[in-house]
Amino acid sequence: MKQLITLNINNEDYDVIVTPMDLLVDVVRKTIGLTGTKKGCGQGDCGACTMLIDGKPELSCLKLAITAVGKKITTIEGIANEDGTLHPIQEAFLDHGAVQCGFCTPGMILSSKALVDRNPNPTMKEIKTALAGNTCRCTGYINILAAVESYAKAVAEKEAK
């Protein structure tokens, strides 16, 4: 049975008609048209579908769209600055060569942002733990870890001022 729900995605409300079994990743990509979030394994193993739900990283391939009603959903499209420029974590990924094919990048960036939002001075072990649910098949992770570490240091320095 289809129903009308409202999802708040990137601070904008979207009225969508869904079935009780529609996955959040599919509604966001196919119905709403925000294709930055990737659908990889469809089983919660790769992290490509990561979105921030109320600030916490969640796998949207495992989340029913109806369970996201009333929550604040952030996709990769929603973290850019108001003037349209890239968010500093996105810049850090580019500066450190942490993007190759780009399929994992949205999930990696959102997981990294969530970590630094709650802990602006993470250790390398904490960075690795935060990214443990995100799989990259191209980079070997070294540049990704360097990007997150660099971004975290910049945030910590900014907060110290």
Side-chain angles (χ1 to χ4, degrees), residues 20 28-29 36 42 56 70 73 93 100-101 104-105 109-110 115 117 119-120 130 132-133 139 145 154:
V28 169
R29 286 182 55 79
K56 296 178 184 171
I73 303 163
F93 267 62
Q100 286 190 18
C101 84
C104 73
T105 305
I109 286 175
L110 290 174
L115 167 66
D117 284 351
N119 177 7
T139 67
L145 297 173

Side-chain angles (χ1 to χ4, degrees), residues 1-15:
M1 176 164 67
K2 293 184 178 186
Q3 60 186 19
L4 177 67
I5 64 171
T6 301
L7 296 174
N8 183 279
I9 303 171
N10 304 328
N11 296 315
E12 187 173 333
D13 286 337
Y14 293 88
D15 294 325

